[in-house]
Amino acid sequence: MLQLIRICGTAVSIAPKWPQPASSLLRYSTFSPREFHYETSDGENGTLMHRFSRHVSHTKRDFTDTTKCSLKVSNFYPLPDVGTYGQQIRDLATIDLAKLIAFTTDFRSKTDVRSYKEVVNTLDEECVRRVPRATTGELLEMLHCFMYLLPNKIAQLKSYQAALPKLIELFDGAENERDFLSIVFFLGMWKRNKTGAMLMKEFLQQHLTRYLTPDMSRMDFVILANATYKTSLRMVDESDAFRSRLVKEIVEFGDEDDSALLVTLIKCARMNRLASGEIVEKVRSFTESNIDSKELDFRGLSHLFAYIADNRIKDDTLVGLFVEGCWNRFDAEVRKNGFETQSQSCRPKDIATFLWSCATIGVPIESYPEVKMNLLEKAIRLKVEAGEYRYSSDLLIDTILSLWICDRKSIALFRLLFKDKALVQNLRKERAKLESRKDLLLTCAEIDLPDAWDMIKSVRKPSADAFALDRAAPEFLVRPGLKKVAECLHRLKETKQIPIVAIHFNAPVKHLNIAGVLVKLAGGEVKNVDVLDERHCLSDRESPVGLMKLKARILDDKGIAGGMVNICRHETAEALEEELRRILLEPKELR
């Protein structure tokens, strides 16, 4: 841990002494004016992160120091001299500097963006300079005040990135429960960052066992779980205590308790791939009890739905509750705030989560009369035009692909992908996480929309082999269930029960990684046999998942003869042979 702290500490340069040349300030400034033009943290008040911050600030700070503040705010605001501001704050004690950061919140509404940017950058640079000699209390006070000033941007601060390794170093010499949770909370703000994830992992590996006790309150554990979720750290496999506590907190969660806390725990369980029948039952009972509650918003309900989808639960009543509940909330939001709202409860990623859940389970979304798909598409289109998807093209791809899997071929949304130059540039990038979904979406478009070739050319050259019935399946797609069916077909061929000429594994839909068995009969007829195993069916062991339904639909549209054999239901060799004879020998209309 100490070596990692030294490495991280060297990554943050210490700000040189004031004054500095203007060119140097511009070069090393943390923020530019444009980052504050359209951003405001006023909307953070009342959000879950604000509640976590307030809880940590009120319950985990050391209030034993009763030294009065010697800072005179009027010396700095509301009319600071930006040119000498750095020299002024150099004379402040570190604890007073932290308080000045908090008072800067009031200054924000009374000045222009450029002056505010200069003040924030100067505060950040001065804090960086003080990190090496600061105490734990001073560092935490500094972070709390920056959290109050810039809750959405705190992880971008150089002082934040310098303070966390120093805090961990100081903590190892004076461990206590109060500082443990404070450090975990602030580390959780450093999301989508390799350094932050490494620090969090090392810190929890050393200290979690000591502080994760039955005495830890629910709110403290939720903050811990949220921090691991934000830094994409899977703790269930690392700690049995964390796993059992996570299950316990979810299962014992009251149906009348705060839904936002349960949703946070469920998101953590999803990220840890924690499958539990007890958790499924809690999600069911909580949803049924709170489906009409305004506290459970579109975002929260979508994440609860996603846990059901992750576990591939087949329950039409429960799924219908989620679909109708999500739609009613979405419709109410649109009617209240309009289509182009940037509401925190109907963000692009929440829409993507809802549609992904529908696609995973294979929900025929248009079969619900309450759901107005044209209205949903219009809302997504206006969000695209408003720029909400510009820096998250993967969400738009997920959204359109999910609609396609649900048999809603959204041609209008597909075209939007190619209208915005920034979206097209992102589509051209070779990113592993995005690539498979992008390729599958383009393949579906090539198959279902031949007219879309001109658009697809701007991203990749159309392959003309998006669908090829005799395409050989690579070895890694040949599942044990496929081999079992192939062995059974070979026995039927050898005993001449079915006039089979050839058998081989195929993957007819490019980039849809579900292989099948292609069977050629003596009369020249070719039939495709898909295998429904535990990996590709829902919890009832009979209903196929959304991707399997997509493949079956494409084959049916192409007029390919064949069928689907369920090896979960036909477990004996005799039953499997009987089912294969039915698929291969009986006319489709008689099955």
Side-chain angles (χ1 to χ4, degrees):
M1 170 63 82
L2 189 58
Q3 184 179 3
L4 179 60
I5 291 171
R6 290 193 185 115
I7 293 171
C8 296
T10 59
V12 181
S13 59
I14 304 302
K17 293 183 179 181
W18 272 74
Q20 298 181 56
S23 60
S24 178
L25 277 174
L26 184 64
R27 186 180 305 163
Y28 296 107
S29 291
T30 306
F31 299 111
S32 61
R34 66 178 182 177
E35 294 181 80
F36 295 107
H37 268 298
Y38 304 107
E39 189 273 345
T40 175
S41 297
D42 298 339
E44 289 293 315
N45 187 31
T47 65
L48 191 60
M49 190 55 65
H50 175 77
R51 289 172 57 192
F52 289 163
S53 174
R54 186 172 55 190
H55 174 81
V56 173
S57 177
H58 287 176
T59 65
K60 307 301 176 185
R61 286 165 79 182
D62 183 4
F63 293 104
T64 57
D65 185 2
T66 58
T67 305
K68 290 186 178 181
C69 175
S70 59
L71 171 69
K72 191 172 182 180
V73 181
S74 60
N75 290 339
F76 300 90
Y77 305 132
L79 297 172
D81 183 346
V82 176
T84 61
Y85 185 78
Q87 188 60 47
Q88 284 182 279
I89 63 176
R90 286 286 296 271
D91 300 329
L92 291 175
T94 301
I95 204 70
D96 289 339
L97 177 64
K99 291 180 172 63
L100 181 63
I101 294 170
F103 284 121
T104 306
T105 304
D106 186 54
F107 168 67
R108 178 176 192 165
S109 62
K110 300 173 181 176
T111 189
D112 62 282
V113 171
R114 187 169 295 278
S115 296
Y116 178 70
K117 181 269 299 184
E118 291 289 350
V119 166
V120 171
N121 285 339
T122 304
L123 287 169
D124 186 31
E125 290 166 9
E126 178 60 25
C127 289
V128 169
R129 190 183 67 82
R130 297 184 185 222
V131 164
R133 294 180 295 277
T135 65
T136 298
E138 290 171 340
L139 290 173
L140 287 175
E141 191 71 18
M142 189 188 301
L143 291 177
H144 278 297
C145 292
F146 267 128
M147 186 67 191
Y148 181 66
L149 176 66
L150 297 167
N152 292 335
K153 297 183 181 296
I154 185 172
Q156 296 174 237
L157 293 166
K158 295 186 179 79
S159 54
Y160 167 89
Q161 297 169 17
L164 284 175
K166 181 65 176 178
L167 272 172
I168 294 172
E169 181 183 345
L170 293 171
F171 181 81
D172 288 337
E175 299 180 11
N176 62 84
E177 181 272 338
R178 182 186 65 236
D179 292 342
F180 168 78
L181 196 71
S182 296
I183 293 172
V184 166
F185 169 73
F186 284 113
L187 278 173
M189 305 299 294
W190 210 349
K191 54 187 179 182
R192 293 188 293 274
N193 182 280
K194 188 176 181 180
T195 301
M198 289 172 59
L199 285 172
M200 176 71 89
K201 183 176 182 179
E202 292 282 347
F203 186 68
L204 290 183
Q205 282 178 341
Q206 289 194 27
H207 303 293
L208 182 64
T209 304
R210 177 176 178 180
Y211 295 106
L212 181 54
T213 65
D215 295 332
M216 178 180 277
S217 69
R218 169 179 287 177
M219 180 61 85
D220 288 354
F221 180 76
V222 173
I223 290 173
L224 169 63
N226 182 71
T228 63
Y229 168 76
K230 292 293 186 182
T231 51
S232 302
L233 185 61
R234 291 195 176 103
M235 290 303 300
V236 163
D237 296 330
E238 299 273 344
S239 168
D240 290 337
F242 184 89
R243 178 192 180 96
S244 59
R245 181 64 183 267
L246 181 57
V247 174
K248 177 177 180 290
E249 288 293 347
I250 294 174
V251 172
E252 295 181 0
F253 204 89
D255 289 343
E256 304 302 322
D257 292 346
D258 188 348
S259 61
L261 300 184
L262 177 63
V263 169
T264 300
L265 295 171
I266 291 294
K267 287 160 68 176
C268 182
R270 286 191 63 212
M271 191 269 295
N272 281 278
R273 299 173 184 171
L274 178 58
S276 167
E278 290 180 299
I279 295 178
V280 169
E281 288 307 312
K282 169 50 63 177
V283 171
R284 184 196 311 274
S285 67
F286 189 86
T287 303
E288 290 173 348
S289 300
N290 292 272
I291 195 63
D292 295 322
S293 171
K294 292 182 179 180
E295 299 300 322
L296 183 58
D297 60 6
F298 177 81
R299 172 171 49 174
L301 197 59
S302 295
H303 280 294
L304 296 181
F305 188 18
Y307 187 81
I308 297 298
D310 277 335
N311 289 273
R312 304 199 302 271
I313 302 300
K314 174 64 175 177
D315 186 328
D316 293 340
T317 303
L318 181 61
V319 169
L321 201 64
F322 276 115
V323 173
E324 293 171 11
C326 286
W327 174 255
N328 290 337
R329 286 161 172 77
F330 182 83
D331 185 52
E333 180 70 30
V334 168
R335 293 180 185 278
K336 179 181 178 182
N337 296 315
F339 282 105
E340 298 179 51
T341 175
Q342 294 191 358
S343 165
Q344 286 295 302
S345 65
C346 286
R347 302 166 300 175
K349 60 182 177 181
D350 301 320
I351 296 172
T353 299
F354 165 63
L355 292 175
W356 174 87
S357 303
C358 293
T360 300
I361 299 179
V363 176
I365 197 166
E366 291 192 272
S367 66
Y368 291 87
E370 303 87 353
V371 180
K372 305 294 188 294
M373 295 304 298
N374 289 335
L375 186 65
L376 177 61
E377 287 189 20
K378 181 179 179 181
I380 296 170
R381 176 171 57 79
L382 290 172
K383 284 179 177 289
V384 171
E385 293 174 355
E388 292 188 46
Y389 287 92
R390 177 156 295 183
Y391 303 108
S392 54
S393 56
D394 52 337
L395 291 178
L396 186 57
I397 289 172
D398 275 343
T399 297
I400 300 172
L401 180 59
S402 295
L403 286 170
W404 219 289
I405 294 171
C406 292
D407 202 16
R408 175 74 179 189
K409 302 177 181 68
S410 182
I411 301 171
L413 290 181
F414 183 78
R415 286 175 178 154
L416 278 179
L417 279 173
F418 303 94
K419 282 187 175 182
D420 190 302
K421 290 183 179 180
L423 284 175
V424 172
Q425 288 296 326
N426 283 327
L427 281 172
R428 287 173 177 160
K429 292 178 181 177
E430 300 290 328
R431 291 188 293 165
K433 183 179 179 182
L434 176 65
E435 199 65 18
S436 61
R437 295 172 296 189
K438 178 185 77 177
D439 285 339
L440 178 55
L441 176 60
L442 295 178
T443 293
C444 290
E446 281 190 49
I447 294 171
D448 294 327
L449 303 173
D451 295 339
W453 276 40
D454 288 338
M455 290 185 289
I456 295 173
K457 285 178 183 177
S458 64
V459 178
R460 75 173 188 195
K461 184 179 179 180
S463 57
D465 66 341
F467 181 86
L469 185 60
D470 58 352
R471 188 197 332 269
E475 183 63 31
F476 70 88
L477 290 182
V478 181
R479 314 183 304 276
L482 278 175
K483 294 179 180 179
K484 181 179 179 181
V485 170
E487 290 170 1
C488 189
L489 286 168
H490 280 293
R491 286 197 301 271
L492 292 172
K493 176 186 176 183
E494 291 168 1
T495 57
K496 299 182 179 180
Q497 296 182 52
I498 301 178
I500 298 175
V501 175
I503 303 168
H504 74 266
F505 301 113
N506 71 331
V509 182
K510 196 171 185 178
H511 303 300
L512 180 54
N513 294 330
I514 302 179
V517 183
L518 191 64
V519 181
K520 186 176 181 180
L521 302 178
E525 189 178 8
V526 176
K527 292 195 174 185
N528 184 87
V529 178
D530 276 312
V531 178
L532 190 64
D533 53 14
E534 290 188 357
R535 184 178 176 183
H536 294 99
C537 68
L538 301 182
S539 59
D540 64 348
R541 295 166 64 87
E542 289 188 4
S543 304
V545 296
L547 283 175
M548 183 66 87
K549 283 186 174 182
L550 174 64
K551 181 184 178 183
R553 193 165 63 243
I554 291 174
L555 289 169
D556 190 57
D557 291 343
K558 292 288 183 179
I560 306 301
M564 189 179 297
V565 58
N566 187 347
I567 63 172
C568 299
R569 187 173 59 190
H570 305 288
E571 296 181 352
T572 66
E574 293 77 12
L576 186 56
E577 288 177 4
E578 180 62 31
E579 180 66 9
L580 288 171
R581 279 194 293 267
R582 187 184 68 83
I583 291 173
L584 296 175
L585 297 179
E586 290 183 12
K588 186 175 181 179
E589 56 272 12
L590 295 180
R591 292 182 210 161

